[in-house]
Amino acid sequence: MAAPSADRPAAARTLAVAAAGTLLVLVAFTTPLATLPATAAGVHAGPGGQAWILSGMSVGCAAGLLSSGALGDDYGRRRTFLLGAAVLAVGSLLGAAAPDVWLLVLARVVQGLGGAAIVACSLGLIGNAYPDGGPRARATGIWGAALGAGVAIGPFLALGLQAVAGWRLAYVAVALLAVALAAGGRVALAESRSARPRPVDALGTVLLGLGVSALLAGLVEGRSGWTRPGTLVLLVLGAALIAGFVVAEHRSRHPMLDLVLLRRPDFTGALIAALATGAGVLSITSYTPILVEQGLGGSALAGVSAMLAWSGLSALTPLSARWLSGRVSSRIQLVAGLVGCAAGQLALLGLHPSSALVRLLPGLLLAGAANGVLNAALGRQAVSSVPADRAAMGSGANNTARYIGSAIGLALVSITVTQGVGRGGGSDPATLLHGWNTAVLLTAAFSLAGAIIVLLTRTRTTAEAPVPALVR
């Protein structure tokens, strides 16, 4: 792989396109949060279909992140990034034209596959363009800010476009923006790849993609009943396929994910932190609009505005968190971010039907600030904890852990928060808020458990534990 670029204008262009792509993926991901009632009515989706509309893109992202990152490292990060933008555009157009719920869910999965390639390769491109240290800390801080900005912008954009011409217009807008991203990336991005590309790990790609898809599908279906035969089959099948992936990677001469990396405290610590982030703060804050509308009697606009308190600070704090990189170790930043998220989550306890919306602000603001620190640190660790020519794979592995954690957390939150939501859409606010308080405790426990495990993960100096070359 070429050495990180010293060409500042070229690096700045790479960062701009990579951050814009990440922002767009999160805009697409959050689109249904604000428009779910209208979307469900338009495609005749019941409670199960609505769960799949919300989760379909997660399934696609989680299934494609690691494999698309590995392909980007070996066959070109720019090429894979542009292909991801094209797939995101196609999935978005399918969503805009979907006549029924299951075609819309399929479109969301396709969006997720395209988004996976964009997110994984965006960090790989940044890692190639910026040398390790201060410049990379600043760049990954901007990338982390793009995550929060996408979550902040997506629901408002979807709600505004729905008011103009219905919920489908948001999917058309994402498709057009994805085409613009591909055009901009074609001009601005330079190609980068490993100096020693590996053959495609076909068996590992298939086993991981199918295994993660089955596992996440089982978690989504579990919201309707954990003892249903279909749910149990999906969960067991997913676990078996992922176990098969581990065995295949151990035996492969050219694995997609070399298991030697799991011996590195910085790599495993980042994976644990990403998993805890998904199962913790991301899961509970995703339900803020439901909480506001059905538990506190607010409007859809009030719901996405409350979520903005969290996502807005998630976008701002990574820009300042880069100043911590030379003063505080990444491990301590991860621990502090997870503890801050847990504190913010616990501040959301004790809600009742007469609670004012302002009661949410302290917890959401604290959780948002801490989550921004986490995003910046995770982005940096995903690149620095793997060999230089496997940066996109490192990003894919880290974000896969985040999406799997989110799927687990969302399944648990859905069961507890929505137990008061009737099949006809009605709900008992007191029951829903009781479920919310229970869900807060569960997700805060995930955040704290992640912080404790990362804190206990022993960090070694670079001289003691160099990044393995992973050449077999």
Side-chain angles (χ1 to χ4, degrees), residues 95-414:
D100 58 54
V101 60
W102 297 116
L103 283 178
L104 178 58
V105 170
L106 175 62
R108 293 283 291 166
V109 173
V110 173
Q111 282 185 308
L113 291 171
I118 293 171
V119 171
C121 290
S122 63
L123 270 179
L125 289 163
I126 290 171
N128 181 73
Y130 288 88
D132 201 2
R136 184 177 291 173
R138 174 181 173 274
T140 54
I142 292 173
W143 181 87
L147 289 174
V151 176
I153 293 169
F156 282 101
L157 179 64
L159 202 59
L161 292 176
Q162 177 182 278
V164 173
W167 62 270
R168 296 180 187 272
L169 185 58
Y171 288 86
V172 175
V174 170
L176 294 175
L177 290 171
V179 170
L181 176 70
R186 189 175 181 84
V187 173
L189 296 177
E191 187 59 280
S192 66
R193 60 172 64 88
S194 171
R196 295 182 295 273
R198 308 178 182 192
V200 175
D201 181 7
L203 179 60
T205 299
V206 171
L207 287 173
L208 182 66
L210 292 178
V212 171
S213 297
L215 179 63
L216 267 64
L219 290 170
V220 175
E221 286 296 301
R223 302 178 193 184
S224 302
W226 293 103
T227 58
R228 296 170 60 189
T231 300
L232 294 174
V233 168
L234 286 169
L235 292 174
V236 172
L237 178 63
L241 289 170
I242 292 173
F245 167 76
V246 173
V247 173
E249 297 304 278
H250 180 71
R251 295 180 176 178
S252 175
R253 294 183 58 191
H254 304 286
M256 181 196 318
L257 173 65
D258 198 307
L259 302 182
V260 171
L261 283 170
L262 296 177
R263 302 175 188 170
R264 289 188 53 83
D266 52 354
F267 182 77
T268 55
L271 289 183
I272 291 166
L275 187 73
T277 301
V281 68
L282 296 184
S283 297
I284 197 67
T285 53
S286 296
Y287 268 88
T288 302
I290 293 176
L291 169 78
V292 171
E293 289 186 63
Q294 300 185 8
L296 301 178
S299 64
L301 180 60
V304 297
S305 297
M307 193 172 178
L308 179 63
W310 170 76
S311 57
L313 271 187
S314 291
L316 292 176
T317 50
L319 300 177
S320 57
R322 67 180 185 270
W323 300 110
L324 297 173
S325 61
R327 300 172 177 84
V328 181
S329 71
S330 294
R331 180 177 66 124
I332 296 304
Q333 289 182 52
L334 294 176
V335 171
L338 287 167
V339 170
C341 285
Q345 291 163 252
L346 291 174
L348 299 173
L349 273 174
L351 297 180
H352 49 81
S354 61
S355 295
L357 291 180
V358 71
R359 168 71 173 73
L360 298 171
L361 288 181
L364 291 173
L365 290 172
L366 177 56
N371 188 65
V373 173
L374 267 176
N375 284 341
L378 285 171
R380 186 166 61 254
Q381 280 292 91
V383 174
S384 64
S385 63
V386 298
D389 61 352
R390 311 306 294 171
M393 181 278 296
S395 170
N398 191 270
N399 283 286
T400 298
R402 192 196 309 245
Y403 276 103
I404 290 176
S406 180
I408 294 171
L410 281 170
L412 294 175
V413 171
S414 177

Side-chain angles (χ1 to χ4, degrees), residues 351-353 416-417 419 428-440:
L351 297 180
H352 49 81
T416 54
V417 172
Q419 60 184 321
D428 171 27
T431 304
L432 186 144
L433 289 170
H434 175 75
W436 167 269
N437 290 327
T438 303
V440 166

Side-chain angles (χ1 to χ4, degrees), residues 17-26 28 57 61 64-65 68-69 77-89 110-126 143 174 177-179 181-182 189 392 395 399:
V17 174
T22 301
L23 186 151
L24 179 58
V25 172
L26 271 295
M57 193 167 174
C61 278
L65 274 162
S68 60
R77 301 181 185 103
R78 173 183 179 271
R79 177 183 299 173
T80 307
F81 182 96
L82 297 181
L83 178 61
V87 173
L88 177 61
V110 173
Q111 282 185 308
L113 291 171
I118 293 171
V119 171
C121 290
S122 63
L123 270 179
L125 289 163
I126 290 171
W143 181 87
V174 170
L177 290 171
V179 170
L181 176 70
L189 296 177
S395 170
N399 283 286

